[in-house]
Amino acid sequence: MYSYLYSAVIHGVKAEMVKVEVDISRGLPGFNIVGLAGKTVRESAKRVRSAIINSGFEWPVKKITVNLAPGNINKYGSHFDLAIAAVLLECSGQIKIKNKNKRFFAGELNLNGNLNHVKGVLSMLLAAGENNYLEAVLPAANQKESYLVKNLNSYLIKHLRELDNLENSTAAVSNNFNFNKQAALNYPDLSEIRGQKNAKKALVTAAAGGHNLLLIGPPGCGKTVLAESIVKLLAPLNKKELLETASIYSINNNLEELNLKMKYRPFVAPHHSITSAALIGGGQIPVPGEISLAHNGVLFLDELPEFKNSVLANLREPLERKKIKIVRQQGSYYFPANFQFLAAMNPCPCGFAGVQDRKCKCSERDIVRYQQKLSGPLKDRIDLQIEVLPLKKDEILLKESTAKNVNYSEQIKKARKMQAERYQNAKIKNNSELQLKDIEKYCQLGSNSDKVLSQTYQRLQLSVRGYIRLMRVARTIADLNNNPQIKKSDLIEAVDFRWYAEKSEMLL
């Protein structure tokens, strides 16, 4: 007797469909799984047998062979349990499954037949939709993932017994799934932050143009709060971005960290003790790291010089290519990493170099060593580098802020609209992606701007990359000011935001 069903396996952040075949024949009773099955898949034999018996079905006392095709792909994960159990019951004539060619199964079985939540279901659903599958049979605990994919009819079951009457089951996904139970992440509002006028301008510029930003200042001046406030300034995730990001979180089994109701972009802030594998992804079976969890969102590194040099060096490739490649013996894995990079650091080990009314305890050598922990190539990939100064007494004690009357989101929305119209026929999303040839085309200078640019080039000794990043920032500032051409005032403000980027000695 022979039968088959379909399941899927995760490879990187994508899923590939797998055909689960079962042959029941005469011979010495046994249960064998072939097709490059990993340890967790081989262990399913014992779980499936106990689940079938404890669910009221009969276990065929015959020679059972399970094949996972194609045989050249490594299979891992406990989610094959449901597919193996279902096809075995169908092959032995105990249940009847319709539409086998258009339905796929994924779920982990307990010994009593109950189904557990499994990781990576969203990627499997997306792959199934791309391969024209129409239905999915999943654990009830994966309702959130199944709701996000509208083009598949998902059956959500809690126990293996429900396979016997699947078509009449009332467990199909409801279209009114409620995300209100999900705890909303409380990000600060930029208008509620006191003082820091220059830092706020830089943050709005970064949000409008997609620029990377480095905040340099003493402890307690508000660097972290400023960085967190960017979440509410960024446009919500669109449908495609939401599915891309949610599928990565589904693989890491932390989908609850995304605010699916408000569609906030992810804000990932790992601790400075993080390892390279945790940041960029890795493991024997590679899984996405923190930079992939920040895909379509923001990666924030607080206390930047405290991170290991080897960890920071790994950021150079994803900052440039928007993805990371991890090579293992069984193959190469590509993980998306299209994030906006924000970072914060103190000017010196004690944090008070160059701060008025505070005495710095660090020697000049300590300050140089501390600041040189940031390599030139990494600093060169950060468009905006600004100093954040401590608040004055009046700024701290002032209860009413004029900033509350400023609609930052509306300014950013208008600037983003200008960029969308300007680059509608180009493969450019925002100003941070402009290259040298694009600057010559889209960054026309207004009157008197040429002179400012020439003086800036001489004083800062701009490299080609420094010139490109200066013009990117200037283009964004002009968009925020609703200027078709880059005016003199726009360019001067951009120079102010690029000053630290071109002066490695910073506060010395």
Side-chain angles (χ1 to χ4, degrees), residues 22 63 67 101 124 139 181 184-185 197 217 241 246 294-295 387 440 491:
V22 166
K63 182 181 179 181
N67 179 43
N101 290 323
M124 299 178 195
K181 294 181 180 179
L185 301 176
K197 182 179 179 181
E241 292 172 335
H295 181 61
E387 181 183 6
E440 296 172 350
L491 192 57

Side-chain angles (χ1 to χ4, degrees), residues 463-477:
S463 63
V464 175
R465 181 174 285 177
Y467 165 73
I468 292 173
R469 297 192 181 276
L470 174 66
M471 297 305 294
R472 287 175 179 174
V473 175
R475 179 66 270 174
T476 301
I477 295 172

Side-chain angles (χ1 to χ4, degrees), residues 332-358:
S332 300
Y333 299 80
Y334 287 91
F335 294 108
N338 186 11
F339 57 85
Q340 188 170 352
F341 181 55
L342 267 64
M345 62 175 286
N346 297 327
C348 67
C350 79
F352 297 104
V355 179
Q356 293 182 356
D357 303 326
R358 296 300 296 265

Side-chain angles (χ1 to χ4, degrees), residues 384-430:
L384 302 169
Q385 300 182 28
I386 67 163
E387 181 183 6
V388 183
L389 298 175
L391 294 178
K392 298 179 181 179
K393 182 185 71 173
D394 294 340
E395 293 175 314
I396 297 175
L397 300 180
L398 185 64
K399 295 182 180 180
E400 294 295 330
S401 174
T402 57
K404 291 186 177 181
N405 300 324
V406 180
N407 193 335
Y408 296 110
S409 298
E410 191 62 28
Q411 290 181 359
I412 294 170
K413 187 177 179 180
K414 290 180 180 179
R416 287 276 186 175
K417 185 178 179 181
M418 289 183 66
Q419 294 173 62
E421 293 174 354
R422 184 186 305 123
Y423 307 133
Q424 59 182 345
N425 297 323
K427 295 181 179 180
I428 300 173
K429 186 177 180 180
N430 51 49

